Amino acid sequence: MATVSLVTLAGCKKKAGGSDSLAKMEGFQKSMCECKDKACADKVNADMAAWGTEMSKTADKNAKPDPDMAKKSADVMTKYSECMTKLMMAGAGDMKGGGDMGSAKTPPPDQGSATPPPAAGSAAAKEPHKALEALTKVPAKATTAKVGQMAWVLRGTAFDSPDSFRVDVDEVTAIDGNTVTTRPVALMASGPDSWKHKPNPDERPYAGLPGLLVIPARTVEEVKPKVGDIVWAYIGNTTTPELTHVKAVEGGIVTYEVPNAMKDKLEEKKTDLIEPYGKGVAPFTMVAYTEGTDTKTMTVLAISGDKVFGYEFGGKLVEQKKSAVKPLTPVFKDRKVGDKVFVVGEAKPEEIKEILVPKELFKTGVFTRTWIELFDKATP
């Protein structure tokens, strides 16, 4: 299903229920700013994403945004992002680089069974996290990663919430048959290794992970990307890797850009861990599949027999038959006003009304689209 810009939806005052949408966004912003830990922030993010998806089903794509309403909604989302960023930087949740996990507070009652991580140095802090129940049902298969190697892994979060997933790069610390134990890594913030990821012995490990979903990670020096290549970039402070294109390569570090939360400009980031976009139905590609009347996308991590395993928005594990998915090939290219483009699951094309950032961000009616969302032909 196509992702909708919440700011543009709220900005359509008359036809998209702008006032109601703005009030709803203000509620999400208030909830985010009241969060004390990452489990809470994850839930608010998931709730807002689900609401945005429902809104997109009935939005009038030809409606013109109300400038005043659009500005108000942008201000709300700016505050939302600021609160979320402060929470992450404070060390809550799965932060990299040695955040004080002992300072995390107990989640509010609406966080279900999520529990705060134990204080650093306590006996409980040394006990591995158990694999989420959904991961225990993945077919038994040995990993190709080695002990001591960094690997992509789909696992739970520091709060052990049963419905919270992450796709991270961890250090493999033990292999027991078809299951693996991994440990989060740290992102160097300064010095000669700035922007590089290193093992972090202070992190609490994750045990019982299915070997099928523990995939050797590669550094920029191993991949040897070129400027313009489409890659998955690992940065550590996002729930899943970011699909992007290489802006620059220097000293074993890739520089890339992604849209900010408002989808009105780009943010520059750097990393030493990337994976090229694959071909066809293969690891590190996106595929489309249907669920009821909806068309959804997933990122493939592994294939076993006739089954494809990967994750959807937010990192949640997805399993589909290989025959039920169709490969998607993102295209990073120049587009112009008036071009007809397609988004996943939509049979009718949208027309580009405005170019916000060349090749990167486009307006199609009330929607702000990233290049990743746009295709030249109708997708499955």
Side-chain angles (χ1 to χ4, degrees), residues 6-25 51 55 58-60 63-64 66 69 73 366:
L6 300 182
V7 172
T8 50
L9 274 178
C12 294
K13 188 172 183 180
K14 296 181 179 179
K15 295 188 178 181
S19 297
D20 292 340
S21 297
L22 179 60
K24 189 72 173 179
M25 289 169 62
W51 171 74
M55 286 284 293
T58 57
D60 183 352
K64 294 183 178 180
D66 178 88
M69 194 68 70
S73 59
V366 300

Side-chain angles (χ1 to χ4, degrees), residues 120-199:
S122 68
K126 299 178 182 179
E127 290 295 321
H129 297 273
K130 294 182 179 179
L132 299 180
E133 183 179 356
L135 295 176
T136 65
K137 300 176 182 179
V138 173
K141 192 171 183 179
T143 181
T144 57
K146 307 296 182 185
V147 172
Q149 185 177 12
M150 291 190 188
W152 296 95
V153 57
L154 194 157
R155 57 166 172 77
T157 69
F159 291 93
D160 292 323
S161 175
D163 299 317
S164 294
F165 295 80
R166 289 182 62 88
V167 180
D168 263 307
V169 171
D170 286 0
E171 177 194 8
V172 176
T173 59
I175 299 175
D176 183 8
N178 295 320
T179 62
V180 181
T181 299
T182 69
R183 184 169 54 201
V185 298
L187 174 63
M188 300 296 101
S190 60
D193 289 330
S194 179
W195 299 109
K196 293 186 177 181
H197 294 83
K198 301 289 183 180

Side-chain angles (χ1 to χ4, degrees), residues 63-266:
K64 294 183 178 180
D66 178 88
D68 182 59
M69 194 68 70
K71 183 181 184 304
K72 290 179 180 178
S73 59
D75 290 342
V76 170
M77 290 306 295
T78 296
K79 181 63 176 176
Y80 177 97
S81 298
E82 288 175 352
C83 289
M84 182 171 64
T85 300
K86 287 179 181 178
L87 178 64
M88 298 302 183
M89 294 306 293
D94 264 342
M95 287 302 297
K96 311 299 178 190
D100 180 10
M101 300 307 295
S103 65
K105 298 181 180 179
T106 302
D110 64 353
Q111 296 310 303
S113 60
T115 55
S122 68
K126 299 178 182 179
E127 290 295 321
H129 297 273
K130 294 182 179 179
L132 299 180
E133 183 179 356
L135 295 176
T136 65
K137 300 176 182 179
V138 173
K141 192 171 183 179
T143 181
T144 57
K146 307 296 182 185
V147 172
Q149 185 177 12
M150 291 190 188
W152 296 95
V153 57
L154 194 157
R155 57 166 172 77
T157 69
F159 291 93
D160 292 323
S161 175
D163 299 317
S164 294
F165 295 80
R166 289 182 62 88
V167 180
D168 263 307
V169 171
D170 286 0
E171 177 194 8
V172 176
T173 59
I175 299 175
D176 183 8
N178 295 320
T179 62
V180 181
T181 299
T182 69
R183 184 169 54 201
V185 298
L187 174 63
M188 300 296 101
S190 60
D193 289 330
S194 179
W195 299 109
K196 293 186 177 181
H197 294 83
K198 301 289 183 180
N200 186 358
D202 295 329
E203 288 282 359
R204 186 180 172 193
Y206 291 78
L209 302 177
L212 182 67
L213 300 181
V214 179
I215 306 153
R218 294 192 287 173
T219 65
V220 169
E221 293 175 340
E222 291 173 309
V223 175
K224 295 180 172 56
K226 301 185 296 295
V227 172
D229 284 356
I230 296 177
V231 300
W232 299 94
Y234 177 69
I235 196 66
N237 61 357
T238 56
T239 306
T240 58
E242 296 178 308
L243 183 59
T244 185
H245 58 90
V246 177
K247 180 181 179 182
V249 184
E250 184 177 359
I253 300 295
V254 152
T255 299
Y256 66 98
E257 294 177 321
V258 292
N260 64 355
M262 300 299 101
K263 285 189 176 181
D264 59 2
K265 61 182 179 181
L266 302 179

Side-chain angles (χ1 to χ4, degrees), residues 283-362:
F284 296 98
T285 62
M286 292 193 302
V287 297
Y289 65 97
T290 57
E291 187 173 273
T293 59
D294 294 335
T295 299
K296 296 186 175 183
T297 62
M298 66 181 282
T299 299
V300 178
L301 287 178
I303 299 173
S304 179
D306 65 343
K307 296 292 183 65
V308 177
F309 296 86
Y311 60 90
E312 61 180 17
F313 177 80
K316 184 179 179 181
L317 175 67
V318 178
E319 175 185 338
Q320 289 289 324
K321 289 185 177 180
K322 191 173 182 180
S323 59
V325 303
K326 302 295 182 182
L328 299 173
T329 304
V331 179
F332 182 66
K333 60 183 285 187
D334 279 314
R335 298 186 186 276
K336 61 182 183 297
V337 172
D339 281 355
K340 302 293 185 180
V341 292
F342 293 85
V343 296
V344 173
E346 298 291 342
K348 295 182 179 180
E350 296 180 4
E351 181 178 325
I352 294 179
K353 302 293 186 181
E354 182 182 354
I355 298 175
L356 302 178
V357 179
K359 293 187 178 182
E360 299 273 3
L361 291 169
F362 310 88

